[in-house]
Amino acid sequence: MAKQLMSGNEAIARGAYEYGVRVAAAYPGTPSTEILENISKYKDTIYSEWSPNEKVSLEVGIGASIGGARALVAMKHVGLNVAADPLMTVTYSGVTGGLVIISADDPGMHSSQNEQDNRFFAKFAKIPLLEPSNSQEAKEMVGLALEISEQFDTPVLLRTTTRISHSLSLVEINDRVEVPVKPYEKNDKKYVMVPAFARQRRLVIEDRLRKLEEYSETTPVNHIEWKDKKIGVITSGVSYQYAREALPEASILKLGFSYPLPKNMIQEFASQVDELYIIEELEPFMEEQIRAMGVNVKGKDVLPNIGELSVQILRQRILGESIANLEAAAAVAENLATEPAPMRPPVLCPGCPHRGVFFTLKKMKLVVSGDIGCYTLGALAPLNAMDTTICMGYSIGGAHGMELANPDFKGKTVAVIGDSTFLHTGVNGLMDIVYNGSQTTTLILDNRTTAMTGQQHNPCSGKTLMGDDAREVNLELLCKAIGVERVFKAHPFDLTQLQNLISQELAVGEPSVIIVEHPCIFVDTNKYEPVTINENCKTCKVCMQIGCPAIVLKDGKIQINQTLCYGCDLCSNVCNFDAIDKGSCGTGGCC
């Protein structure tokens, strides 16, 4: 049987193909983005799409399921917050075709604004939870989730974490199994959740949960690996890999189906080991339930509930291995590298169209209500031009709230949001300020892509996930359609025009939108000539205040790295001495 090295995300996509998924939807978000990117490669058999947000993704998946097809919906952990509304009701209605929801959690916040343990969503919604510990399991659990979904009439949550999503391991490759679309049958008592019908389905959920508890006792993805019985471990997901390596002689109860728990299996395992540990990343999800069963365990009283676990942490906290030994091991590992990795602080790309906006906002000393996207880097030095970032789509409502709280913010505050994020959930905030008569000025940074997660398409970009041409959303008309009468366009590198326009709109007593247009450098098909420093340079370092990585101070002189220079001319716009020219390397001041 052929095998292939795959990340967990690639394996989930392969599972969608092999196990008969017909519809897949997502909004991009690390660490889940590659799931849909890889599913789109099977466009001949699976329809796939980027939806405007995770709630819509799940609604598409629910619709496909009710229509009789197997469906998969993927999102990062915070995306499930957005999708929680349909989630909490589809648990009542159940499914027709199998429905699997992927939640890719991010312990350690490698690329996220918070750290949350979405296993609690399974318990909250009373739906089954699966947790793979490698890529092979990630693929197989897509199939298992679809089977469970159809057998028990429920959506299934498949939870991965960053290490599973992005780590590579071998996966067996099989052919696709075609699963026919189930015939549609009108059933308003099942799919119309008015109170009278929902009360009946509430009873169905509890009965289903009891049946799932029985299933949890017998499914082979929950199994015991007996070894020495001095230490027993109950674990799931990637924590199984850490436990297996850190405690090679321990007996382990591995839970691939981790909600509802197999209580009889846990009681039996606990009765046969001298000391029982619950090893799980983040919150004491299993530990709390097992303690409630009256089982004596060690868990978060020994292990941290912040960030990722590691083999070293387990050996230190459980075996009492000294810090000195751990530090020595770390030193050996560090010495294996021939050269230390250079420090590389996060920064906006050279030529990024957002740089001119944040340079201007900082110059104007405005309060900036920001949002989620690569433009969040505008909060960092040397730009330091963002005051708040909370969640997707927050910025406009947040600015409105600040102005309500303190009239001093009016005329001094702007909301900043990207095109994809605006369509995700930001548009709701704009409707709110129009409806409630706010005067907030909103800047939509339209770079024609979803840049932060890797240039995925969105309803503004003119292409679908499967590469087909798409009708573009006209942001100007959209803003006017929801009641904003003052909508303007600006160029991010024309700083004078941009500043004048922002000043003009801040002085107006009604809501306004400035759409700042320029494509991300990774989707811009235009070519621009790089710039160089000439003899007029006084080394005043004003050009360094824009934070462009192409501009460096070398041997006491400002130089332009022409390998990095995009030719946006922003540095020449801020130079007071006409010291920056268009021109190739060789005229001086380049490296």
Side-chain angles (χ1 to χ4, degrees):
M1 186 173 295
K3 292 186 177 181
Q4 189 172 330
L5 202 59
M6 287 185 171
S7 69
N9 284 346
E10 291 173 307
I12 288 171
R14 183 68 194 182
Y17 171 75
E18 291 185 9
Y19 298 111
V21 166
R22 291 176 181 269
V23 176
Y27 181 82
T30 305
S32 69
T33 305
E34 298 84 3
I35 296 173
L36 262 288
E37 289 181 332
N38 281 282
I39 286 179
S40 70
K41 297 174 183 175
Y42 305 112
K43 61 184 293 184
D44 292 339
T45 50
I46 304 176
Y47 167 83
S48 60
E49 70 167 42
W50 293 129
S51 306
N53 64 36
E54 297 84 356
K55 177 175 178 286
V56 175
S57 296
L58 182 52
E59 290 162 348
V60 171
I62 293 169
S65 171
I66 292 174
R70 286 189 161 185
L72 180 148
V73 179
M75 58 197 73
K76 68 179 298 178
H77 61 290
V78 290
L80 197 50
N81 304 337
V82 181
D85 196 8
L87 171 68
M88 299 307 289
T89 301
V90 72
T91 61
Y92 280 58
S93 68
V95 303
T96 304
L99 175 60
V100 56
I101 303 164
I102 314 294
S103 171
D105 292 7
D106 188 17
M109 294 174 279
H110 297 281
S111 183
S112 304
Q113 65 270 41
N114 73 16
E115 185 178 66
Q116 64 186 52
D117 191 332
N118 276 6
R119 294 178 299 172
F120 285 96
F121 261 114
K123 189 170 184 292
F124 189 24
K126 297 177 180 286
I127 60 174
L129 171 66
L130 295 176
E131 292 187 82
S133 65
N134 58 36
S135 297
Q136 178 69 35
E137 288 186 1
K139 188 200 81 166
E140 292 175 347
M141 284 187 177
V142 171
L144 180 61
L146 293 165
E147 291 176 7
I148 294 171
S149 176
E150 292 171 352
Q151 179 180 347
F152 293 95
D153 190 17
T154 178
V156 175
L157 189 67
L158 197 163
R159 185 244 193 182
T160 64
T161 53
T162 302
R163 297 295 165 185
I164 298 297
S165 299
H166 291 163
S167 296
L168 301 174
S169 61
L170 287 173
V171 176
E172 292 181 356
I173 303 301
N174 296 305
D175 294 332
R176 176 177 170 90
V177 176
E178 289 296 342
V179 179
V181 175
K182 295 181 178 179
Y184 175 72
E185 296 181 6
K186 183 179 175 64
N187 188 345
D188 54 354
K189 291 184 178 179
K190 186 172 188 293
Y191 292 120
V192 181
M193 287 301 97
V194 295
F197 296 156
R199 291 188 195 104
Q200 297 174 34
R201 296 297 299 180
R202 180 72 181 84
L203 302 176
V204 171
I205 289 175
E206 294 303 318
D207 181 59
R208 182 180 72 200
L209 205 54
R210 284 191 289 272
K211 293 175 180 174
L212 286 167
E213 288 177 352
E214 295 172 2
Y215 176 86
S216 182
E217 301 282 357
T218 58
T219 175
V221 296
N222 290 342
H223 63 267
I224 298 172
E225 299 172 2
W226 285 116
K227 290 193 175 182
D228 192 293
K229 295 185 177 180
K230 290 181 180 177
I231 293 180
V233 172
I234 298 176
T235 187
S236 64
V238 73
S239 298
Y240 164 79
Q241 303 292 357
Y242 299 141
R244 189 77 282 170
E245 186 172 344
L247 307 168
E249 300 306 319
S251 294
I252 292 181
L253 170 52
K254 179 180 183 299
L255 299 179
F257 186 100
S258 49
Y259 187 80
L261 290 173
K263 294 179 180 177
N264 293 333
M265 185 182 290
I266 290 170
Q267 293 279 11
E268 175 64 21
F269 181 73
S271 69
Q272 296 194 43
V273 297
D274 297 338
E275 199 170 32
L276 180 57
Y277 288 88
I278 309 298
I279 297 179
E280 55 188 333
E281 280 183 337
L282 300 182
E283 303 302 322
F285 175 73
M286 294 187 294
E287 181 184 337
E288 287 181 353
Q289 297 177 71
I290 294 171
R291 283 187 187 277
M293 293 161 52
V295 178
N296 184 28
V297 302
K298 294 182 178 178
K300 294 305 173 187
D301 50 341
V302 177
L303 300 172
N305 69 339
I306 298 174
E308 296 181 298
L309 294 178
S310 68
V311 173
Q312 289 76 17
I313 290 173
L314 297 187
R315 291 186 67 84
Q316 180 198 356
R317 300 293 182 90
I318 296 176
L319 300 180
E321 191 166 314
S322 71
I323 293 292
N325 285 346
L326 294 172
E327 289 177 343
V332 170
E334 186 174 329
N335 290 335
L336 292 176
T338 55
E339 294 182 5
M343 293 295 292
R344 193 181 67 172
V347 65
L348 293 170
C349 300
C352 174
H354 305 327
R355 180 172 281 106
V357 174
F358 288 115
F359 180 83
T360 301
L361 296 177
K362 180 183 181 182
K363 181 181 178 182
M364 299 176 71
K365 299 180 179 179
L366 297 177
V367 176
V368 178
S369 178
D371 223 295
I372 303 290
C374 51
Y375 49 89
T376 311
L377 295 172
L380 304 180
L383 295 169
N384 301 109
M386 189 176 287
D387 292 77
T388 60
T389 302
I390 302 297
C391 65
M392 294 283 284
Y394 161 84
S395 60
I396 302 174
H400 175 48
M402 294 174 76
E403 292 176 348
L404 290 175
N406 186 342
D408 289 344
F409 284 115
K410 291 185 178 180
K412 301 175 184 176
T413 303
V414 296
V416 173
I417 190 168
D419 52 330
S420 182
T421 313
F422 176 71
L423 296 173
H424 180 277
T425 40
V427 65
N428 306 80
L430 189 61
M431 284 188 279
D432 182 61
I433 65 170
V434 171
Y435 174 62
N436 287 297
S438 173
Q439 67 177 54
T440 301
T441 298
T442 299
L443 277 65
I444 301 176
L445 309 188
D446 181 7
N447 64 359
R448 317 307 298 166
T449 189
T450 310
M452 183 176 68
T453 47
Q455 295 84 52
Q456 288 77 27
H457 293 296
N458 66 53
C460 280
S461 65
K463 289 284 185 182
T464 70
L465 170 60
M466 296 190 289
D468 298 326
D469 291 335
R471 183 171 295 179
E472 298 179 22
V473 170
N474 185 316
L475 291 175
E476 183 178 11
L477 293 181
L478 174 60
C479 294
K480 289 182 176 177
I482 61 178
V484 181
E485 296 183 357
R486 301 184 64 83
V487 182
F488 303 89
K489 291 188 176 183
H491 193 290
F493 299 133
D494 188 341
L495 302 185
T496 301
Q497 179 220 19
L498 182 62
Q499 181 171 340
N500 290 340
L501 193 52
I502 294 171
S503 297
Q504 169 191 301
E505 293 312 299
L506 286 172
V508 175
E510 62 178 286
S512 60
V513 171
I514 300 172
I515 303 170
V516 188
E517 289 183 322
H518 193 281
C520 169
I521 63 169
F522 294 107
V523 300
D524 189 3
T525 57
N526 297 307
K527 300 298 179 185
Y528 306 94
E529 190 177 7
V531 297
T532 58
I533 305 291
N534 64 36
E535 63 279 4
N536 292 335
C537 179
K538 310 296 183 187
T539 320
C540 68
K541 303 179 185 177
V542 168
C543 57
M544 298 194 75
Q545 294 177 15
I546 64 175
C548 178
I551 303 174
V552 297
L553 183 65
K554 189 174 182 179
D555 299 328
K557 298 289 185 181
I558 299 293
Q559 297 193 9
I560 305 290
N561 184 332
Q562 294 207 325
T563 303
L564 294 176
C565 181
Y566 175 76
C568 68
D569 290 341
L570 182 62
C571 55
S572 60
N573 284 342
V574 302
C575 179
N576 297 315
F577 302 101
D578 295 326
I580 301 176
D581 299 321
K582 287 285 189 185
S584 59
C585 188
T587 59
C590 60
C591 59

